[in-house]
Amino acid sequence: AGVIRFEDVHFSYDPDRAILRGISFEVPAGRTIAIVGPSGAGKSTISRLLFRFYDVGAGRITIDGQDIRDVTQASLRQRIGMVPQDTVLFNDTIAYNIRYGRPSASEAEVREAARMAQISDFIERLPKGFDTEVGERGLKLSGGEKQRVAIARTILKAPPILMLDEATSALDTHTEREIQTALDQVSLNRTTLVIAHRLSTVVNADEIIVLEHGVIVERGRHQDLLDHG
Ligand code: ADP
Ligand code: ADP
């Protein structure tokens, strides 16, 4: 389940300036579709429409055949998981922070999510940065480690659909590779829409959609797009 369809979607924030002009694509169940394109192309607008921060001007967006205008924002947030760029951690163990994704999860499930996100080594530690004294168990987490905690949380929560926005990641290559591995785990067999800046981060996508000035200018698999330059 979890098929997303954009059908001839048009959208503008201001009446005199079209932002999306006839966008159509489908994210089949369990597949990963990536949207790439230069800054200002309309990528984030697509994710805002999917969460109904705005409604489409023309055309429609459906999930499993249902027009999302008939679905509440709260229900969309339940169905579509998002790994935030900037993760808020609670003043408790990393394991607790992972469990926040689904409080009913078992110990084993928390450990498995941590393993997939490659943070098994420190789940019993406490994130530093709060006023309280954490002593020996305290651990200062890097941005990349925090993001992997967020990924573990999302793995545990297991939403049917995943929306990944890679736009603002400013990470070093090593960290980026670790995060990529973790994200590949969370999107495995899950309907996933990725918003990406560069083609290099979406090599494994089932389809890449290239967006420019609100229109799809190219689409295909990574290798096809490279062949055409
Ligand atoms: P991308 O994610 O590809 O960088 P966006 O979807 O954020 O592009 O933005 C597409 C266009 O819409 C840009 O020209 C941007 O300036 C404009 N835009 C974004 N948000 C708003 C807004 N709230 N009001 C008016 N224009 C906006
Ligand atoms: P939901 O209410 O379905 O969890 P949200 O949009 O509120 O969806 O949250 C998106 C993700 O951000 C959630 O998966 C959750 O793990 C995380 N999150 C939400 N609120 C907080 C918070 N106060 N602190 C840390 N993480 C949060």
Side-chain angles (χ1 to χ4, degrees), residues 30 46 61 65 76 98 124 136 151 161 176 193 222-224:
I46 286 177
I61 302 170
L76 288 170
I98 297 171
E124 292 314 323
E136 293 276 285
I151 291 168
I161 296 172
E176 193 175 290
L193 185 61
H222 189 256
Q223 193 53 50
D224 306 332

Side-chain angles (χ1 to χ4, degrees), residues 61-88:
I61 302 170
T62 63
I63 294 178
D64 292 332
Q66 184 181 29
D67 192 319
I68 64 167
R69 277 173 291 204
D70 300 327
V71 182
T72 62
Q73 280 195 324
S75 161
L76 288 170
R77 280 205 304 274
Q78 282 302 318
R79 288 153 81 172
I80 309 167
M82 191 144 180
V83 177
Q85 295 283 337
D86 212 350
T87 304
V88 183

Side-chain angles (χ1 to χ4, degrees), residues 1 17 21 31 54 57 72 74 90 113 147 172 223:
R17 184 159 166 253
R21 300 177 284 160
R31 297 304 173 95
Y54 301 91
T72 62
F90 299 103
Q147 203 171 357
D172 62 75
Q223 193 53 50

